[in-house]
Amino acid sequence: MKIAVFVSGGGTNLQAIIDNTKNGILQDVEITLVLSSSKDAYALERAANNGIKTAVVSKKDFASLEEWDETMVAEVEKSGAELVVLAGYLSLLGPEFVGKYSNRIINIHPALIPSFCGAGMYGIRPHQAALAKGVKVSGATVHFVNENYDDGPILLQKAVDVLPDDTPETLQKRIMKECEWQILPQAIRLIADGKVIIENNICYVR
């Protein structure tokens, strides 16, 4: 299966996918495109180091949202990708893109949806919010993407305990290592194997 990975920053989840294509778990998965919303994203360097084609498509470089949306569709079409993976991608996708790739876009979110999600909840913020609320567990969610932030059908979730001495930074690091880097490749594997179905906005693994 060919996939496109969308990024905006450091690309740690991209690296987890790359590593899994090499260790056998995703051996039949090919990353045909890494698309970034920022030319300064370190994820682009990770892609280049592994011989993966890259593109930078920034919303602010276009005169209209429609033109940006069309360009995003064109880039993925060129890559031949069958699945789009948002791995720390911070822009809300356009309606044409979401419509064309309906049920073929997944995202990793650093919290247990429906908690600590939605517009503005990215990076360190979900972890700050989790600690401020005093929750005893947090984690990460892989979900399908629709036209709203963090709103599509949930595919996988994994939790970790929130420790008494946690800071937003320590919680973020533990969730990345123990949750995000585990369930994102697992989700890609399930989809590649044809084991995922969506009915009435609910995801089932068969």
Side-chain angles (χ1 to χ4, degrees), residues 111-115 139-142 154-159 179 183 186:
L112 297 174
I113 292 173
S115 297
T141 303
V142 176
I154 291 169
L155 174 51
L156 292 175
Q157 292 184 301
K158 189 175 181 186
C179 301
I183 63 173
Q186 184 184 349

Side-chain angles (χ1 to χ4, degrees), residues 177-196:
K177 284 185 173 180
E178 297 183 22
C179 301
E180 296 179 45
W181 299 350
Q182 306 298 317
I183 63 173
L184 187 54
Q186 184 184 349
I188 296 168
R189 178 73 272 154
L190 289 170
I191 294 167
D193 289 343
K195 293 184 176 179
V196 179

Side-chain angles (χ1 to χ4, degrees), residues 119-158:
M121 276 293 177
Y122 61 87
I124 200 72
R125 294 177 185 177
H127 310 295
Q128 293 170 332
L131 292 178
K133 190 67 176 177
V135 298
K136 306 312 176 194
V137 294
S138 191
T141 303
V142 176
H143 65 94
F144 283 89
V145 172
N146 61 19
E147 63 277 5
N148 303 311
Y149 282 114
D150 305 325
D151 187 50
I154 291 169
L155 174 51
L156 292 175
Q157 292 184 301
K158 189 175 181 186

Side-chain angles (χ1 to χ4, degrees), residues 83 101-107 142-146 151-156 190-191 194-206:
L83 177 72
Y101 293 99
S102 177
N103 294 339
R104 290 191 289 152
I105 312 168
I106 59 172
N107 178 54
V142 176
H143 65 94
F144 283 89
V145 172
N146 61 19
D151 187 50
I154 291 169
L155 174 51
L156 292 175
L190 289 170
I191 294 167
K195 293 184 176 179
V196 179
I197 57 173
I198 300 172
E199 294 178 352
N200 300 319
N201 211 41
I202 295 177
C203 230
Y204 300 94
V205 177
R206 58 186 180 188

